[in-house]
Amino acid sequence: MQLQVQGKITKWDDEKGFGFITPRSGGAGVFVHINAFRHGARERPQPGNTVYYSLSKDKQGRICATNVKLKGKHQYSPKRSGKKMAAFVFVAIFFATLALLTFVLQRIPRFAIALYAVASLVTFVAYAIDKSAARHDRWRTPESTLHAMSLLGGWPGALLAQQALRHKSRKKEFRWVYIGTVLLNVAVTAWLVSPGGPETAQTFFDQLLKIFGR
């Protein structure tokens, strides 16, 4: 279908994958879904992007944009790429530190690295599933569940997902709680590897077992 209309994206919800285009000639905004964009786009749509599109109707008979193309070539974004690289470097440093504490200094058990790796992988997948659900209006994973996964050691995977998938990376409230889970998880880990930390933790868990074992 030939592209006939030019407009500008004036609203865009990247997590849900839809927004509105204001026609160049004026008039009411036209609904656009991420699936309406041509395949192969190297950048996600953003408010302010100029687009070419055709008009169509959805299943409910509402006017919507289809066969959408961003105007011009998709430029490389140093800022966005820098954030992705910083996330990967940060996670790599964290796991390198775990390896040092495990295999060289022998301060933490070997299963710690496996625990973080598995938790991160599961969390990354959870983010990917939630992003897909947001695009297709399916059941969403509660934010409290995503935070719990980060708190239990999946925060490296969450960080990679936020930057690589561009999911939950702009909502300030979510980001602040996420940062809190990272700090708490790292603090507990640091405490456990400190002198006396493991013994104190063992005493704490023993007391819990006594209480709940009655």
Side-chain angles (χ1 to χ4, degrees):
M1 182 182 295
Q2 184 177 3
L3 297 172
Q4 299 179 346
V5 185
Q6 181 177 341
K8 181 177 292 186
I9 298 176
T10 49
K11 293 182 180 180
W12 183 258
D13 190 323
D14 198 55
E15 290 188 9
K16 295 182 178 179
F18 69 80
F20 290 89
I21 300 172
T22 297
R24 183 179 181 182
S25 58
V30 179
F31 177 83
V32 59
H33 193 274
I34 186 63
N35 292 335
F37 285 81
R38 287 183 169 183
H39 296 295
R42 292 165 58 188
E43 286 188 356
R44 299 282 295 180
Q46 299 291 333
N49 286 156
T50 298
V51 294
Y52 295 99
Y53 62 97
S54 296
L55 292 175
S56 183
K57 291 184 178 180
D58 59 18
K59 296 180 180 179
Q60 288 74 37
R62 297 172 298 186
I63 299 297
C64 64
T66 186
N67 201 24
V68 185
K69 180 182 179 182
L70 290 169
K71 180 182 178 181
K73 297 182 180 179
H74 305 299
Q75 300 296 322
Y76 172 75
S77 175
K79 183 177 180 180
R80 189 68 200 174
S81 180
K83 288 184 177 181
K84 289 182 180 180
M85 181 59 66
F88 279 100
V89 170
F90 186 80
V91 171
I93 291 175
F94 175 73
F95 275 98
T97 302
L98 283 182
L100 176 64
L101 292 171
T102 302
F103 301 106
V104 179
L105 301 179
Q106 298 182 349
R107 297 292 299 274
I108 58 178
R110 295 188 177 184
F111 72 82
I113 292 183
L115 177 63
Y116 271 104
V118 172
S120 294
L121 177 60
V122 171
T123 304
F124 187 96
V125 172
Y127 269 73
I129 293 175
D130 186 56
K131 186 173 182 67
S132 177
R135 290 181 179 180
H136 297 90
D137 294 324
R138 296 197 300 264
W139 180 85
R140 300 290 302 279
T141 302
E143 291 186 351
S144 58
T145 299
L146 296 177
H147 287 314
M149 297 174 74
S150 295
L151 183 61
L152 294 176
W155 64 262
L159 178 61
L160 295 180
Q162 289 170 17
Q163 297 303 319
L165 303 178
R166 296 186 67 176
H167 188 50
K168 300 293 186 182
S169 59
R170 295 185 178 182
K171 189 175 181 180
K172 292 183 178 180
E173 295 82 359
F174 183 91
R175 291 284 295 167
W176 279 114
V177 177
Y178 165 74
I179 292 174
T181 64
V182 175
L183 294 176
L184 183 57
N185 178 269
V186 173
V188 172
T189 300
W191 174 65
L192 288 174
V193 301
S194 64
E199 291 78 5
T200 304
Q202 185 62 51
T203 301
F204 175 75
F205 289 126
D206 287 343
Q207 293 299 320
L208 284 179
L209 289 176
K210 290 181 179 179
I211 294 174
F212 290 102
R214 292 179 181 177

